[in-house]
Amino acid sequence: MTYQELLDNARKATDGRCKHCRVCDGMACGGVVPGPGARGTGSTFTHSYNVLQEIKILPEVIYKSHPCTTETDFFGHKLALPLLVSPILGITGSYGLDKSDEAYAAELFRGCKDAGILAFTGDGPNPATFYSVEKPLREIGCGIPTFKPRTLEDAKRRIEWAEANGAVAISMDIDMLGNGALRAMENPIHAMDRDELGKICEMTKIPMIIRGVLTVHDSIEALQAGADAICVTNHGGRSQDGLPAAPEFLPFIADAIGGRIPVLVDGAVRSGVDMFRMLALGADFVMVGRPFVTAVCGGGAEGVKLIADKYKGELLDTMYMTDSATVKDISREKIWWPRMGFAGK
């Protein structure tokens, strides 16, 4: 299967809300919610993509030849590259794919297993959404369930379920407070302070990842609450219109965290070159969302591996162009971004 065939298949399999664009930049789906777009004007999604393209790669090609590897470690799990799939479920409602969340997750997990990466899964207004991936999570693995902040009792139930079903880690989305529908549910989401986050972090035996931080303040609060990792993201523009892009704050957050816990980033990454940019800004792992929905829609597990392998090849090419033997060698010295003061060595 080629990438173009994957896109063509995905368009046929869904109802048109997502155009499955060759470059997923939010231009064709702005404001399409329910659907794949961002809230309001949709500009937060497109801004995130455009900001990332500002960053240029600085080649360094005179060096003693050596092999490069994209392999890395995620809490003891060997990954083929520092790539994780973002939590997206509710595929029928958002993309018009005639497939249950369980069936979607099964294809996603199989593809991730073949590609040597991991996938987060999501949550939503319907409590059943979170639990819908039980069978593929237990039988295939590669999964990191994600829940939203409700009550401590609710968190405890979800954490215990995730541990019992073999989850690699568990994460909590904390950045959807601007969604009135989620605040108005029978079991509504709400803000949590550091003490409440700390109680949740203490509940789990597997790594706890706090997703949805976009400022140094929230990042340090999550660290001090006991998070095992954080994810810097504006939620693909779906939490609030008018937010900054993750790359604009990632360097400050990475510096503040100072390597004490892993820093994940999620936001309009559409190639291995974009992965390199995020790693150079200080991320330890990079997350990608919408393109993997297209992958499952257009090619199932094979499509997932195709996308992951595409990113891996592009990242590896960029590493050879910049004398980066491992992903740990990717640094700010290898990028040029005058607006943020990064000008290489």
Side-chain angles (χ1 to χ4, degrees):
M1 184 186 299
T2 67
Y3 183 53
Q4 188 58 53
E5 288 171 338
L6 176 70
L7 297 177
D8 291 341
N9 291 344
R11 292 175 190 129
K12 294 173 185 175
T14 52
D15 66 3
R17 275 173 281 186
C18 178
K19 309 303 179 187
H20 301 287
C21 302
R22 188 166 187 84
V23 176
C24 176
D25 60 5
M27 291 295 291
C29 62
V32 182
V33 180
R39 289 185 67 188
T41 64
S43 61
T44 299
F45 182 179
T46 55
H47 175 68
S48 295
Y49 176 80
N50 291 332
V51 162
L52 205 48
Q53 304 316 303
E54 292 178 9
I55 304 169
K56 305 306 177 187
I57 310 300
L58 292 178
E60 186 174 329
V61 295
I62 300 178
Y63 61 88
K64 186 175 178 60
S65 182
H66 56 70
C68 296
T69 178
T70 61
E71 293 180 354
T72 190
D73 178 272
F74 182 83
F75 294 108
H77 294 264
K78 298 299 182 183
L79 302 186
L81 69 164
L83 175 63
L84 305 162
V85 180
S86 307
I88 301 176
L89 283 179
I91 301 302
T92 301
S94 292
Y95 287 81
L97 179 68
D98 187 16
K99 191 183 289 285
S100 68
D101 282 333
E102 179 184 285
Y104 169 83
E107 296 287 353
L108 178 63
F109 288 170
R110 277 195 287 268
C112 287
K113 188 171 186 178
D114 290 344
I117 61 174
L118 302 170
F120 287 61
T121 54
D123 192 6
N126 181 353
T129 301
F130 175 84
Y131 299 105
S132 66
V133 302
E134 179 174 337
K135 184 176 180 181
L137 177 64
R138 186 176 62 249
E139 295 181 355
I140 303 169
C142 299
I144 303 173
T146 303
F147 64 95
K148 302 200 185 308
R150 297 180 177 91
T151 64
L152 295 180
E153 293 77 14
D154 179 85
K156 187 173 188 294
R157 283 194 298 272
R158 291 168 191 265
I159 289 169
E160 290 176 348
W161 174 90
E163 291 174 342
N165 285 286
V168 171
I170 190 162
S171 74
M172 182 167 66
D173 274 331
I174 62 170
D175 63 341
M176 292 298 285
L177 295 173
N179 188 314
L182 292 176
R183 295 197 314 272
M185 295 185 302
E186 182 177 345
N187 188 10
I189 67 168
H190 60 86
M192 288 190 170
D193 62 20
R194 188 201 303 173
D195 290 341
E196 290 172 297
L197 286 179
K199 290 175 182 177
I200 291 175
C201 290
E202 289 173 355
M203 292 176 184
T204 176
K205 303 180 183 70
I206 56 178
M208 167 60 75
I209 302 161
I210 301 299
R211 270 182 50 88
V213 300
L214 201 56
T215 63
V216 169
H217 171 272
D218 281 355
S219 301
I220 295 300
E221 287 289 295
L223 171 70
Q224 294 179 343
D228 296 296
I230 58 170
C231 179
V232 181
T233 179
N234 63 22
H235 217 105
R238 294 173 68 81
S239 63
Q240 173 68 49
D241 199 5
L243 295 181
E248 293 175 299
F249 277 78
L250 174 59
F252 307 113
I253 291 171
D255 288 348
I257 294 297
R260 286 173 284 182
I261 57 175
V263 175
L264 287 59
V265 66
D266 190 356
V269 170
R270 297 299 178 255
S271 68
V273 178
D274 287 346
M275 286 187 66
F276 186 97
R277 290 167 166 137
M278 290 294 207
L279 294 168
L281 291 175
D284 297 294
F285 299 92
V286 180
M287 301 187 70
V288 176
R290 293 170 175 98
F292 278 100
V293 178
T294 292
V296 174
C297 291
E302 181 186 352
V304 171
K305 187 173 188 302
L306 186 153
I307 295 291
D309 287 348
K310 174 180 177 292
Y311 280 50
K312 179 180 178 179
E314 293 162 348
L315 175 60
L316 196 58
D317 287 348
T318 312
M319 292 171 67
Y320 273 104
M321 279 292 292
T322 57
D323 187 16
S324 304
T326 72
V327 293
K328 295 296 185 184
D329 296 318
I330 301 172
S331 69
R332 291 175 204 170
E333 294 181 339
K334 299 177 186 291
I335 57 173
W336 184 70
W337 194 10
R339 179 162 71 87
M340 298 292 282
F342 303 140
K345 293 182 180 178

